[in-house]
Amino acid sequence: MSQPIKVLVAGLGNMGRAHAMAYHNHPGYEIVGVVTRSKDSVPEGLGEYKHWSDFYDALEATKPDLASINTYSDSHADYAVAAMEAGAHVFIEKPLATSVADAERVVETAIRLSKKLVVGYILRHHPSWVRLIAEARALGGPYVFRMNLNQQSAGRFWRTHKTLMETTSPIVDCGVHYVDVMCQITDAKPVQVRGMGVRLTDEIAPEMYNYGHLQVMFDDGSVGWYEAAWGPMISETAFFVKDILTPKGSVSIVMDEGAKSSDHETHTKTDRIRIHRADLGGDGEFIHEDEMLSMEGEPGHDALCAREQDYVYRAIVEDVDLGRHMSDAIQSLRICLAADESIRTGKPVDL
C-alpha cells in the first residue's frame, strides 16, 4: 500500500498494549486513535495518540482502515461488526465472541463485506509452536493431548482475572488457544465435549468458576484434555503441561525450573521440545534416545505480537484468504463453550 494502514486500537491492557506498540513500530501502520475507559489508563509510549473513551465515537471520528479490538470479550462481537460495517478490517483478540451465534455473526459480516478478520491466536505465529505441531503431525495419530495453563494470581493480575470472569471463564478465555493447537494437529472432527469446574473463591459470581477442565473426543479416536485455573489459591506445581502422545512416541514442551505462572512470557515460551520415539529393539529396550530441541532465541511476548500484526498487515495488502482461519476460530470457540455448557449442566455435549 502506498499509504499506511490507519488503525484504531481499542483496549490497552496487556495484549492491547503489546499490539499497539507493534503498530507504533511498524512502518505500514499509522495509529489514528486509542480507546480506553479513561485517559489515565493509556500506557507509557502511547500517550501521543488521540484518546477516546467510547469506541463508536472513535470509529466515526477516525474512519480507520483497521480496528484492533482488545477489549473484554463481551464487547468483541458488537465492536467487530460495527467496525466492518463502517468499512474497516478487524483484528480481534481471542475469544472471538462469548457465544457461537455471535462468532458466526462476526464471520458472516466479514464474508459479506469482504473484510479481513484476524483472530488473536498468537501461538500460530510462534516458530516453536509451529515446530511442535509439525513434529506431532509427523508422528501420526491417534493422539492424546494433555495440556493446561494455570495462573497463580494476586494484586492487579487477580483483579484482571476477576474482571474477565464477569463474562468469561478461564476454560474459554485461555482454552481456545490450546484447543486450536489440538485441531491443527489432528485435522479430525470433534464429536463430543465434557467439562467439570469448581468455584474456589467467593470473590466471583455464584454461577462462575475459576477452575475448569475440559475433555474433547475426535472422530479419528484422538482425545484431549485442557485445564485452566486463575487465582491466589492456584498451585505453581505442573501449571504448564503441553504433552502430545501418539502410538509412535510423544512430543512435549519442557519448561525451565523456576518459571512462574503469572509471567506472561511463560504462556508462550517453550524453552525446549522433547521428542520421544517408542521404537524398541530386539532386546525390548528403546532404540532412540529422547531428542531435545533447544528453542533458544525464540521471540518474546511483545515480539510475537509484532509478528502477529505483520501477518495482519500482509493479510490486508496481499489479500490473504482467511476462510480457514475464521472457521478454525469458530470451531475452537464452539468446543470451549461446549465444555462450559457441560460444566454448568453436568452432561456431555455432542457436537
Side-chain angles (χ1 to χ4, degrees):
M1 294 179 70
S2 57
Q3 299 295 321
I5 292 173
K6 297 185 297 179
V7 56
L8 173 67
V9 185
L12 292 174
N14 181 62
M15 296 305 300
R17 180 208 61 80
H19 293 312
M21 291 308 300
Y23 303 128
H24 176 83
N25 294 320
H26 194 295
Y29 287 114
E30 176 191 352
I31 297 176
V32 293
V34 297
V35 182
T36 64
R37 292 177 178 177
S38 70
K39 184 80 159 88
D40 294 340
S41 61
V42 176
E44 184 179 349
L46 298 169
E48 67 189 80
Y49 297 111
K50 189 161 184 181
H51 175 268
W52 279 266
S53 57
D54 183 272
F55 175 75
Y56 300 102
D57 289 346
L59 191 63
E60 183 177 358
T62 60
K63 296 178 173 52
D65 303 311
L66 172 70
S68 180
I69 300 169
N70 312 283
T71 51
Y72 289 115
S73 51
D74 57 339
S75 64
H76 283 187
D78 288 343
Y79 281 10
V81 169
M84 290 185 283
E85 295 282 4
H89 303 288
V90 167
F91 168 80
I92 190 165
E93 256 304 330
K94 54 76 186 167
L96 176 54
T98 55
S99 72
V100 174
D102 271 348
E104 290 176 337
R105 175 165 64 96
V106 174
V107 169
E108 287 164 2
T109 302
I111 294 170
R112 173 171 56 84
L113 297 176
S114 298
K115 295 299 176 185
K116 300 302 179 187
L117 171 66
V118 177
V119 185
Y121 287 107
I122 196 169
L123 298 182
R124 288 184 168 221
H125 307 279
H126 195 310
S128 301
W129 280 85
V130 171
R131 178 68 181 272
L132 178 83
I133 291 168
E135 294 292 347
R137 287 178 63 91
L139 287 175
Y143 299 95
V144 175
F145 302 105
R146 304 169 62 243
M147 299 191 182
N148 75 357
L149 180 56
N150 297 331
Q151 297 178 54
Q152 186 182 93
S153 57
R156 67 182 179 91
F157 295 109
W158 178 225
R159 289 193 294 273
T160 297
H161 282 153
K162 286 187 287 186
T163 302
L164 286 167
M165 286 186 286
E166 290 176 6
T167 57
T168 309
S169 69
I171 206 73
V172 175
D173 182 80
C174 295
V176 289
H177 275 310
Y178 302 104
V179 168
D180 181 58
V181 169
M182 296 180 194
C183 292
Q184 287 182 72
I185 291 171
T186 179
D187 282 334
K189 180 181 178 183
V191 292
Q192 190 182 79
V193 180
R194 303 168 187 169
M196 57 184 181
V198 182
R199 179 175 176 261
L200 293 171
T201 175
D202 293 334
E203 296 183 52
I204 58 176
E207 66 275 10
M208 183 52 74
Y209 53 93
N210 63 314
Y211 173 88
H213 194 290
L214 72 78
Q215 304 91 41
V216 56
M217 281 141 279
F218 296 88
D219 66 0
D220 68 344
S222 296
V223 298
W225 62 256
Y226 176 74
E227 174 191 65
W230 297 339
M233 72 295 294
I234 303 305
S235 170
E236 292 275 79
T237 301
F239 71 86
F240 187 99
V241 176
K242 304 293 182 292
D243 201 20
I244 303 155
L245 316 181
T246 83
K248 293 184 178 180
S250 60
V251 185
S252 313
I253 292 177
V254 181
M255 290 297 297
D256 280 344
E257 290 289 334
K260 292 291 185 181
S261 64
S262 59
D263 181 0
H264 279 83
E265 293 287 350
T266 300
H267 301 176
T268 55
K269 194 175 181 181
T270 59
D271 289 323
R272 288 164 292 162
I273 295 174
R274 181 197 298 271
I275 302 173
H276 168 71
R277 303 188 188 281
D279 306 289
L280 302 178
D283 59 358
E285 300 296 333
F286 290 114
I287 296 174
H288 308 287
E289 295 284 342
D290 285 1
E291 183 180 359
M292 300 295 289
L293 304 179
S294 172
M295 296 294 110
E296 186 177 354
E298 66 181 359
H301 183 267
D302 286 3
L304 281 174
C305 290
R307 282 173 176 251
E308 190 167 37
Q309 296 311 324
D310 187 62
Y311 175 78
V312 175
Y313 179 84
R314 289 184 286 109
I316 294 171
V317 301
E318 298 172 14
D319 193 23
V320 174
D321 183 355
L322 296 175
R324 173 69 187 268
H325 175 88
M326 294 187 292
S327 63
D328 284 353
I330 291 176
Q331 176 168 264
S332 59
L333 180 63
R334 188 189 307 276
I335 291 170
C336 292
L337 288 174
D340 184 74
E341 178 185 342
S342 178
I343 289 169
R344 296 178 190 281
T345 64
K347 300 176 181 179
V349 176
D350 292 323
L351 299 178

